[in-house]
């Protein structure tokens, strides 16, 4: 904003109350320029940094403003969102049809002189326009998302194995949030742009309501905008939205880690007994031992993974596509692989004890401890889904891991040697030193083998295992498949018509 200050002298006897812009223009030039003042309200430093983080995370940031186009472009350049330097004004949007707007909305990040109707049309154009073409979380060989659909006709939304995020906002800044699924299955296609909008005024309410997630300002926002939005920012800070994206990704990662840990160890408990009966062994574990593992070790070490901090590269990953499964190919493969590995070690040590003449109590004590300590080794490597744990970072970030492991190991020693307690758990004679050596070696084997599997899973294992899992998925009963995906297929058929 520019302010011009000037001064002039009144004629003798002139009434100053009669001065007006029109009167001044009729007079002889008599004003002298005193000062020209420019007022700048730049974006905050944390907003500029947050935009950079958002770009690294695959989030496209757009700005919708009521200011002049040149002002909007200048702010856009400060924020780093100006892109190719193009600006679309409200009158230009009014002159465009919906199809034309969908064709240009992805290439422009600054919109000026926008009306409430313009904002709503921009949201719809992003949601229904061209698909996101960037890299997506799920494009790697262990893709856990829905398979690509056939190329649709011109009346059917395109469906490819990708999804993007775009954000729109009124006022100073606009942002997208990494949201996965939308309840409206009619518009839930894998390549569809996921749109979030920030706003604070009454005129923002229609666009806030239409966006996948509307974000209203908690301090300066009107009640109407807060009612229309799905989320309210308590501090009106752009950086808070980016921090929320990071937290959401951390929660997703930790849910997967809990599944990666609990499913294999739970399968190993049951299948150890099953395969023992199939082979002809006596039961290597008693009912109370299995119950203890379910109630104490699996829960304790599994839930500690929920406290894992975000991995260092979490905001350098591309966004996830809508419909990506939480229980996907990687988890299914590792569940099968790790459970088989643990069963082999449990039954192998159990039979090793039999071959060396140990009685049933010693053998069951060893099988029980092999199972639990294998879980301890596996819990350490599960802290990082694909990154190696053979790194100093394993000792940082989550102290609860080592507290939980220490408590679990101490309980195992107590259950094995405390009189009365070890009798209750069918281990009245404790364990020999050589048995503890086999237990520790088994734990190390699980840790190292899973670390090796991490290194080989994408380049070697998934190209082999993936097609097998796809075949099983394609020939599974309908009730085992993703209900949301089935609804989306029915929605596309309705759009295509008979």
């Amino acid at each position: 904003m520019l302010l011009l200050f000037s001064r002039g002298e009144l004629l003798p006897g002139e009434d100053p109350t009669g001065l007006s812009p029109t009167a001044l223009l009729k007079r002889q030039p008599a004003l002298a320029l005193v000062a020209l003042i420019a007022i700048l309200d730049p974006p905050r430093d944390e907003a500029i940094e947050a935009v950079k983080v958002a770009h690294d995370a695959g989030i496209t940031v757009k700005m919708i403003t009521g200011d002049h186009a040149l002002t909007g472009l200048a702010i856009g350049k400060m924020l780093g969102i100006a892109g190719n330097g193009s600006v679309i004004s409200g009158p230009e949007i009014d002159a465009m049809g919906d199809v034309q707007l969908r064709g240009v909305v992805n290439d422009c990040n600054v919109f000026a002189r926008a009306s409430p109707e313009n904002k709503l049309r921009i949201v719809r154009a992003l949601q229904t326009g061209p698909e996101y073409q960037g890299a997506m979380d799920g494009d790697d060989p262990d893709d856990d998302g829905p398979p690509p659909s056939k190329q649709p006709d011109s009346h059917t939304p395109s469906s490819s194995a990708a999804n993007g995020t775009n954000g729109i906002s009124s006022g100073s800044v606009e942002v997208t949030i990494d949201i996965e699924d939308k309840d409206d299955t009619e518009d839930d296609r894998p390549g569809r742009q996921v749109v979030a909008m920030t706003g604070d005024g009454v005129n923002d309410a229609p666009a806030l309501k239409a966006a996948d997630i509307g974000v209203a300002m908690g301090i300066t926002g009107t009640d109407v905008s807060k009612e229309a939005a799905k989320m309210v920012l308590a501090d009106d800070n752009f950086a808070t939205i980016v921090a929320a994206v990071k937290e959401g990704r951390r929660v997703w990662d930790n849910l997967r880690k809990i599944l990666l840990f609990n499913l294999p160890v739970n399968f190993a408990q049951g299948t150890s007994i099953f395969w023992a009966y199939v082979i002809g062994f006596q039961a290597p574990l008693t009912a109370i031992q299995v119950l203890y593992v379910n109630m104490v070790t699996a829960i304790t070490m599994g839930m500690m993974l929920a406290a894992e901090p975000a991995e260092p590269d979490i905001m350098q990953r591309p966004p996830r596509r809508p419909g990506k499964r939480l229980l996907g190919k990687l988890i299914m493969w590792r569940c099968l692989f790790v459970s088989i590995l643990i069963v082999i070690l449990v039954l192998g040590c159990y039979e090793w004890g039999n071959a060396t003449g140990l009685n049933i109590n010693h053998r069951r004590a060893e099988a029980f401890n092999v199972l639990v300590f294998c879980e301890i080794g596996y819990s350490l490597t599960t802290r990082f889904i694909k990154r190696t744990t053979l790194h100093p970072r394993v000792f940082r970030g989550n102290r609860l891991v080592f507290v939980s492991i220490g408590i679990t190991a101490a309980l195992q020693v107590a259950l094995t040697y405390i009189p009365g307690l070890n009798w209750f758990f069918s281990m009245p004679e404790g364990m020999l030193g050589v048995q503890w050596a086999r237990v520790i070696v088994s734990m190390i084997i699980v840790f190292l083998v899973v670390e090796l599997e991490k290194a080989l899973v994408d380049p070697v294992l998934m190209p082999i295992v993936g097609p097998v899992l796809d075949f099983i998925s394609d020939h599974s009963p309908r009730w085992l498949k993703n209900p949301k995906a089935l609804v989306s297929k029915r929605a596309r058929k309705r759009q295509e018509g008979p």
Side-chain angles (χ1 to χ4, degrees):
M1 181 173 66
L2 294 177
L3 295 178
L4 180 68
F5 291 87
S6 60
R7 64 180 298 275
E9 295 182 359
L10 295 176
L11 299 175
E14 185 175 7
D15 183 8
T17 60
L19 293 178
S20 65
T22 304
L24 289 173
L25 290 174
K26 293 179 179 179
R27 296 179 53 172
Q28 291 295 326
L31 296 177
L33 178 64
V34 176
L36 182 65
I37 299 177
I39 299 177
L40 178 64
D41 183 17
R44 289 182 288 187
D45 291 339
E46 60 265 30
I48 297 174
E49 183 61 30
V51 168
K52 294 179 182 177
V53 175
H55 287 165
D56 290 341
I59 301 171
T60 303
V61 182
K62 298 183 182 291
M63 181 175 70
I64 303 177
T65 178
D67 294 331
H68 189 274
L70 294 178
T71 304
L73 181 60
I75 297 296
K77 289 180 178 179
M78 293 179 187
L79 287 168
I81 63 173
N84 57 13
S86 63
V87 182
I88 299 178
S89 65
E92 292 174 323
I93 295 175
D94 292 333
M96 295 181 188
D98 290 340
V99 175
Q100 186 180 3
L101 180 59
R102 284 196 290 265
V104 300
V105 72
N106 284 331
D107 297 326
C108 179
N109 290 340
V110 180
F111 300 87
R113 298 294 189 198
S115 66
E117 182 183 1
N118 296 150
K119 298 173 185 178
L120 179 60
R121 291 187 63 203
I122 293 170
V123 172
R124 293 300 190 194
L126 288 168
Q127 290 173 328
T128 61
E131 298 174 358
Y132 179 77
Q133 299 300 321
M136 294 302 304
D137 179 14
D139 294 342
D140 45 1
D142 69 326
D143 172 14
D144 294 333
S149 301
K150 294 181 180 179
Q151 187 66 27
D153 60 28
S154 59
H155 300 289
T156 307
S158 180
S159 176
S160 69
N163 166 53
T165 52
N166 278 304
I168 50 180
S169 141
S170 71
S172 59
V173 161
E174 146 200 35
V175 67
T176 29
I177 299 181
D178 200 14
I179 299 296
E180 299 312 312
D181 291 324
K182 189 172 186 293
D183 291 337
D184 184 6
T185 55
E186 292 284 347
D187 203 20
D188 187 22
R189 54 191 172 97
R192 171 194 176 287
Q193 303 274 16
V194 178
V195 183
M197 168 156 179
T198 64
D200 58 3
V202 175
N203 59 350
D204 298 320
L208 288 171
K209 188 72 174 178
D212 295 275
I213 178 168
V215 184
M217 302 296 105
I219 299 175
T220 60
T222 61
D223 290 339
V224 174
S225 65
K226 293 177 185 178
E227 288 294 329
K230 296 181 177 68
M231 178 176 158
V232 177
L233 275 183
D235 60 358
D236 289 10
N237 193 340
F238 178 86
T240 303
I241 300 176
V242 179
V245 174
K246 181 178 180 179
E247 181 64 15
R249 293 187 175 191
R250 184 188 76 86
V251 170
W252 172 271
D253 271 3
N254 289 352
L255 285 173
R256 297 186 74 204
K257 290 173 185 177
I258 292 171
L259 287 173
L260 277 171
F261 176 77
N262 278 331
L263 289 179
V265 299
N266 287 335
F267 273 112
Q269 296 162 26
T271 52
S272 294
I273 298 174
F274 172 78
W275 285 111
Y277 282 122
V278 170
I279 297 172
F281 296 166
Q282 284 184 284
L285 301 170
T286 64
I288 193 65
Q289 289 173 339
V290 173
L291 183 61
Y292 171 84
V293 173
N294 272 317
M295 293 183 63
V296 179
T297 62
I299 293 176
T300 303
M301 291 187 290
M303 293 308 295
M304 75 185 182
L305 295 171
E308 278 293 310
E311 295 189 19
D313 66 339
I314 198 165
M315 292 302 283
Q316 281 76 51
R317 301 175 190 172
R320 295 188 303 274
R321 77 174 75 139
K324 178 172 179 177
R325 301 183 184 96
L326 189 61
L327 183 63
K329 294 177 184 176
L330 177 64
I331 295 179
M332 293 172 65
W333 154 249
R334 197 165 289 175
C335 176
L336 179 65
F337 168 72
V338 175
S339 62
I340 291 174
L341 176 62
I342 294 177
V343 168
I344 291 173
L345 291 171
V346 169
L347 295 184
C349 290
Y350 178 78
E351 181 58 21
W352 194 339
N354 183 43
T356 55
L358 297 179
N359 61 39
I360 187 64
N361 292 329
H362 275 124
R363 286 150 50 201
R364 281 180 173 166
E366 184 174 351
F368 179 49
N369 280 284
V370 167
L371 176 63
V372 173
F373 277 85
C374 283
E375 292 181 10
I376 290 176
Y378 182 54
S379 69
L380 276 175
T381 190
T382 308
R383 290 187 61 195
F384 305 98
I385 296 176
K386 289 188 177 180
R387 292 160 63 89
T388 180
T389 314
L390 299 172
H391 190 277
R393 61 173 163 259
V394 75
F395 300 106
R396 300 190 297 264
N398 187 2
R399 295 181 179 179
L400 290 177
V401 170
F402 301 100
V403 172
S404 176
I405 289 174
I407 291 174
T408 303
L411 285 174
Q412 285 303 116
V413 175
L415 294 179
T416 304
Y417 290 109
I418 293 180
L421 194 58
N422 57 8
W423 174 84
F424 184 74
F425 279 88
S426 303
M427 301 182 293
E429 301 174 29
M431 280 175 49
L432 304 177
V434 67
Q435 291 182 285
W436 279 113
R438 289 197 290 260
V439 168
I440 299 303
V441 169
S442 297
M443 178 181 69
I444 296 173
I445 288 174
V446 169
F447 178 82
L448 294 179
V449 169
V450 175
E451 285 297 309
L452 179 63
E453 183 265 351
K454 285 184 186 179
L456 299 177
V457 65
D458 280 349
V460 177
L461 299 175
M462 274 302 160
I464 300 172
V465 176
V468 177
L469 295 177
D470 285 336
F471 177 83
I472 295 173
S473 176
D474 292 340
H475 294 81
S476 297
R478 290 174 60 87
W479 56 270
L480 282 177
K481 296 184 179 180
N482 187 352
K484 193 175 185 64
L486 294 176
V487 173
S488 298
K489 289 180 181 179
R490 288 196 293 268
R492 287 194 289 271
K493 288 181 180 179
R494 285 198 296 270
Q495 291 175 347
E496 293 173 358

